[in-house]
Short mmCIF file of all heavy atoms in Angstrom, two decimals:
data_model
loop_
_atom_site.label_atom_id
_atom_site.label_comp_id
_atom_site.label_asym_id
_atom_site.label_seq_id
_atom_site.Cartn_x
_atom_site.Cartn_y
_atom_site.Cartn_z
N HIS A 71 0.56 19.66 0.77
CA HIS A 71 1.08 20.99 1.10
C HIS A 71 2.20 21.32 0.13
O HIS A 71 3.37 21.46 0.52
CB HIS A 71 1.55 21.02 2.56
CG HIS A 71 0.48 20.68 3.52
ND1 HIS A 71 -0.45 21.60 3.95
CD2 HIS A 71 0.13 19.49 4.09
CE1 HIS A 71 -1.32 21.01 4.76
NE2 HIS A 71 -0.99 19.73 4.86
N VAL A 72 1.83 21.44 -1.14
CA VAL A 72 2.81 21.67 -2.20
C VAL A 72 2.35 22.82 -3.10
O VAL A 72 1.16 23.09 -3.20
CB VAL A 72 3.01 20.40 -3.07
CG1 VAL A 72 3.62 19.29 -2.26
CG2 VAL A 72 1.67 19.95 -3.67
N PRO A 73 3.29 23.49 -3.77
CA PRO A 73 2.90 24.50 -4.76
C PRO A 73 2.43 23.81 -6.03
O PRO A 73 2.65 22.60 -6.23
CB PRO A 73 4.21 25.26 -5.00
CG PRO A 73 5.27 24.23 -4.76
CD PRO A 73 4.75 23.37 -3.64
N LEU A 74 1.78 24.54 -6.91
CA LEU A 74 1.36 23.99 -8.19
C LEU A 74 2.47 24.23 -9.20
O LEU A 74 2.76 25.37 -9.57
CB LEU A 74 0.06 24.66 -8.67
CG LEU A 74 -0.49 24.15 -10.00
CD1 LEU A 74 -0.87 22.68 -9.91
CD2 LEU A 74 -1.70 24.98 -10.43
N THR A 75 3.11 23.15 -9.62
CA THR A 75 4.18 23.21 -10.61
C THR A 75 3.94 22.13 -11.66
O THR A 75 2.99 21.34 -11.54
CB THR A 75 5.55 22.96 -9.95
OG1 THR A 75 5.59 21.60 -9.46
CG2 THR A 75 5.79 23.91 -8.78
N ASP A 76 4.80 22.07 -12.66
CA ASP A 76 4.68 21.01 -13.66
C ASP A 76 4.82 19.64 -13.01
O ASP A 76 4.21 18.66 -13.46
CB ASP A 76 5.76 21.17 -14.74
CG ASP A 76 5.52 22.39 -15.61
OD1 ASP A 76 4.37 22.88 -15.64
OD2 ASP A 76 6.48 22.87 -16.26
N GLU A 77 5.61 19.54 -11.94
CA GLU A 77 5.83 18.27 -11.27
C GLU A 77 4.65 17.86 -10.39
O GLU A 77 4.36 16.68 -10.22
CB GLU A 77 7.09 18.32 -10.41
CG GLU A 77 8.39 18.36 -11.20
CD GLU A 77 8.64 19.72 -11.85
OE1 GLU A 77 8.13 20.74 -11.31
OE2 GLU A 77 9.30 19.76 -12.90
N THR A 78 3.96 18.84 -9.81
CA THR A 78 2.88 18.51 -8.87
C THR A 78 1.50 18.52 -9.49
O THR A 78 0.54 18.01 -8.90
CB THR A 78 2.88 19.48 -7.67
OG1 THR A 78 2.60 20.81 -8.14
CG2 THR A 78 4.22 19.47 -6.95
N ARG A 79 1.35 19.09 -10.67
CA ARG A 79 0.03 19.18 -11.29
C ARG A 79 -0.56 17.78 -11.50
O ARG A 79 0.03 16.92 -12.13
CB ARG A 79 0.11 19.90 -12.63
CG ARG A 79 -1.26 20.20 -13.23
CD ARG A 79 -1.11 20.91 -14.57
NE ARG A 79 -0.41 22.18 -14.44
CZ ARG A 79 -1.00 23.32 -14.09
NH1 ARG A 79 -2.30 23.35 -13.85
NH2 ARG A 79 -0.28 24.43 -13.98
N GLY A 80 -1.73 17.56 -10.94
CA GLY A 80 -2.41 16.27 -11.09
C GLY A 80 -1.68 15.11 -10.46
O GLY A 80 -1.89 13.95 -10.85
N MET A 81 -0.85 15.34 -9.45
CA MET A 81 -0.05 14.26 -8.88
C MET A 81 -0.92 13.22 -8.17
O MET A 81 -0.54 12.05 -8.09
CB MET A 81 1.02 14.80 -7.93
CG MET A 81 0.52 15.45 -6.67
SD MET A 81 1.87 16.23 -5.70
CE MET A 81 3.04 14.89 -5.55
N LEU A 82 -2.07 13.63 -7.65
CA LEU A 82 -3.02 12.65 -7.14
C LEU A 82 -4.10 12.45 -8.19
O LEU A 82 -5.10 13.15 -8.22
CB LEU A 82 -3.61 13.10 -5.81
CG LEU A 82 -2.73 12.98 -4.57
CD1 LEU A 82 -3.54 13.11 -3.30
CD2 LEU A 82 -1.93 11.68 -4.55
N ASP A 83 -3.86 11.49 -9.07
CA ASP A 83 -4.81 11.18 -10.14
C ASP A 83 -5.38 9.80 -9.92
O ASP A 83 -5.21 9.20 -8.85
CB ASP A 83 -4.11 11.28 -11.51
CG ASP A 83 -2.90 10.37 -11.60
OD1 ASP A 83 -2.65 9.57 -10.66
OD2 ASP A 83 -2.18 10.46 -12.61
N GLU A 84 -6.08 9.26 -10.91
CA GLU A 84 -6.72 7.96 -10.76
C GLU A 84 -5.73 6.87 -10.36
O GLU A 84 -6.01 6.06 -9.46
CB GLU A 84 -7.42 7.57 -12.06
CG GLU A 84 -8.14 6.22 -11.97
CD GLU A 84 -8.78 5.83 -13.28
OE1 GLU A 84 -8.51 6.47 -14.30
OE2 GLU A 84 -9.58 4.85 -13.28
N ALA A 85 -4.56 6.86 -11.01
CA ALA A 85 -3.57 5.83 -10.71
C ALA A 85 -3.11 5.91 -9.26
O ALA A 85 -3.00 4.88 -8.57
CB ALA A 85 -2.38 5.97 -11.65
N ALA A 86 -2.84 7.12 -8.78
CA ALA A 86 -2.40 7.29 -7.39
C ALA A 86 -3.52 6.93 -6.42
O ALA A 86 -3.29 6.25 -5.41
CB ALA A 86 -1.93 8.72 -7.16
N ILE A 87 -4.73 7.36 -6.72
CA ILE A 87 -5.86 7.10 -5.83
C ILE A 87 -6.13 5.60 -5.73
O ILE A 87 -6.45 5.08 -4.65
CB ILE A 87 -7.11 7.86 -6.32
CG1 ILE A 87 -6.90 9.37 -6.13
CG2 ILE A 87 -8.35 7.41 -5.56
CD1 ILE A 87 -7.96 10.23 -6.79
N GLN A 88 -6.00 4.88 -6.82
CA GLN A 88 -6.25 3.44 -6.79
C GLN A 88 -5.20 2.69 -5.97
O GLN A 88 -5.46 1.56 -5.53
CB GLN A 88 -6.31 2.89 -8.22
CG GLN A 88 -7.57 3.29 -8.98
CD GLN A 88 -8.84 2.94 -8.23
OE1 GLN A 88 -9.00 1.82 -7.75
NE2 GLN A 88 -9.76 3.90 -8.11
N ARG A 89 -4.04 3.30 -5.77
CA ARG A 89 -3.02 2.66 -4.93
C ARG A 89 -3.28 2.92 -3.45
O ARG A 89 -2.63 2.31 -2.59
CB ARG A 89 -1.62 3.17 -5.30
CG ARG A 89 -1.18 2.82 -6.70
CD ARG A 89 0.34 2.85 -6.87
NE ARG A 89 0.96 4.09 -6.45
CZ ARG A 89 1.06 5.19 -7.21
NH1 ARG A 89 0.53 5.20 -8.43
NH2 ARG A 89 1.66 6.28 -6.76
N MET A 90 -4.20 3.82 -3.13
CA MET A 90 -4.52 4.09 -1.73
C MET A 90 -5.35 2.96 -1.14
O MET A 90 -6.06 2.26 -1.83
CB MET A 90 -5.31 5.41 -1.62
CG MET A 90 -4.55 6.63 -2.06
SD MET A 90 -5.61 8.12 -1.99
CE MET A 90 -4.55 9.31 -2.82
N LYS A 91 -5.24 2.82 0.17
CA LYS A 91 -6.05 1.83 0.88
C LYS A 91 -7.53 2.23 0.77
O LYS A 91 -7.86 3.41 0.80
CB LYS A 91 -5.67 1.77 2.36
CG LYS A 91 -4.25 1.36 2.64
CD LYS A 91 -4.04 1.12 4.14
CE LYS A 91 -4.32 2.36 4.96
NZ LYS A 91 -4.03 2.13 6.40
N PRO A 92 -8.43 1.25 0.66
CA PRO A 92 -9.86 1.58 0.71
C PRO A 92 -10.17 2.33 2.01
O PRO A 92 -9.69 1.96 3.08
CB PRO A 92 -10.54 0.22 0.67
CG PRO A 92 -9.56 -0.67 -0.02
CD PRO A 92 -8.20 -0.18 0.43
N GLY A 93 -10.93 3.40 1.89
CA GLY A 93 -11.30 4.17 3.08
C GLY A 93 -10.36 5.31 3.42
O GLY A 93 -10.57 6.01 4.41
N THR A 94 -9.34 5.54 2.60
CA THR A 94 -8.41 6.64 2.84
C THR A 94 -9.12 7.99 2.71
O THR A 94 -10.03 8.15 1.89
CB THR A 94 -7.24 6.58 1.84
OG1 THR A 94 -6.53 5.35 2.03
CG2 THR A 94 -6.28 7.75 2.03
N PHE A 95 -8.69 8.96 3.51
CA PHE A 95 -9.21 10.32 3.42
C PHE A 95 -8.15 11.21 2.77
O PHE A 95 -6.97 11.10 3.08
CB PHE A 95 -9.53 10.87 4.81
CG PHE A 95 -10.68 10.17 5.50
CD1 PHE A 95 -10.46 9.00 6.21
CD2 PHE A 95 -11.96 10.67 5.42
CE1 PHE A 95 -11.50 8.35 6.84
CE2 PHE A 95 -13.02 10.04 6.04
CZ PHE A 95 -12.79 8.85 6.76
N VAL A 96 -8.59 12.11 1.88
CA VAL A 96 -7.69 13.01 1.17
C VAL A 96 -8.08 14.45 1.48
O VAL A 96 -9.26 14.81 1.37
CB VAL A 96 -7.73 12.77 -0.35
CG1 VAL A 96 -6.90 13.82 -1.09
CG2 VAL A 96 -7.23 11.37 -0.68
N VAL A 97 -7.09 15.26 1.85
CA VAL A 97 -7.34 16.67 2.16
C VAL A 97 -6.37 17.53 1.35
O VAL A 97 -5.16 17.27 1.33
CB VAL A 97 -7.16 16.95 3.67
CG1 VAL A 97 -7.29 18.44 3.96
CG2 VAL A 97 -8.18 16.16 4.48
N ASN A 98 -6.91 18.56 0.70
CA ASN A 98 -6.05 19.48 -0.04
C ASN A 98 -6.42 20.92 0.29
O ASN A 98 -7.47 21.42 -0.10
CB ASN A 98 -6.15 19.27 -1.55
CG ASN A 98 -5.21 20.18 -2.32
OD1 ASN A 98 -4.21 20.65 -1.78
ND2 ASN A 98 -5.52 20.44 -3.57
N ALA A 99 -5.53 21.59 1.02
CA ALA A 99 -5.70 23.01 1.31
C ALA A 99 -4.49 23.78 0.80
O ALA A 99 -4.18 24.86 1.30
CB ALA A 99 -5.88 23.23 2.81
N SER A 100 -3.79 23.21 -0.19
CA SER A 100 -2.58 23.85 -0.71
C SER A 100 -2.85 24.63 -1.98
O SER A 100 -3.01 25.84 -1.95
CB SER A 100 -1.48 22.81 -0.93
OG SER A 100 -1.87 21.81 -1.86
N ARG A 101 -2.92 23.94 -3.11
CA ARG A 101 -3.17 24.58 -4.39
C ARG A 101 -4.11 23.72 -5.23
O ARG A 101 -3.98 22.50 -5.28
CB ARG A 101 -1.86 24.80 -5.17
CG ARG A 101 -1.01 25.93 -4.62
CD ARG A 101 -1.65 27.29 -4.87
NE ARG A 101 -0.86 28.40 -4.35
CZ ARG A 101 -1.04 28.94 -3.15
NH1 ARG A 101 -1.95 28.45 -2.32
NH2 ARG A 101 -0.29 29.96 -2.76
N GLY A 102 -5.08 24.38 -5.89
CA GLY A 102 -5.93 23.67 -6.81
C GLY A 102 -5.11 23.14 -7.97
O GLY A 102 -4.15 23.77 -8.39
N GLY A 103 -5.47 21.96 -8.46
CA GLY A 103 -4.76 21.40 -9.59
C GLY A 103 -3.81 20.29 -9.23
O GLY A 103 -3.42 19.49 -10.08
#
């Protein structure tokens, strides 16, 4: 639930996703990108 800024753009990328527990669910209804 964040705006799209230089700081938030791509904040959930491969590196972040790989740190998630297996089976985690991700939902984004805020901003594309």
Side-chain angles (χ1 to χ4, degrees):
H71 301 278
V72 294
L74 181 63
T75 66
D76 291 340
E77 289 74 27
T78 64
R79 188 180 299 277
M81 67 186 307
L82 284 195
D83 57 6
E84 181 182 11
I87 292 170
Q88 288 306 311
R89 296 202 307 276
M90 296 176 190
K91 298 189 300 183
T94 299
F95 293 85
V96 174
V97 175
N98 183 23
S100 60
R101 286 290 179 266

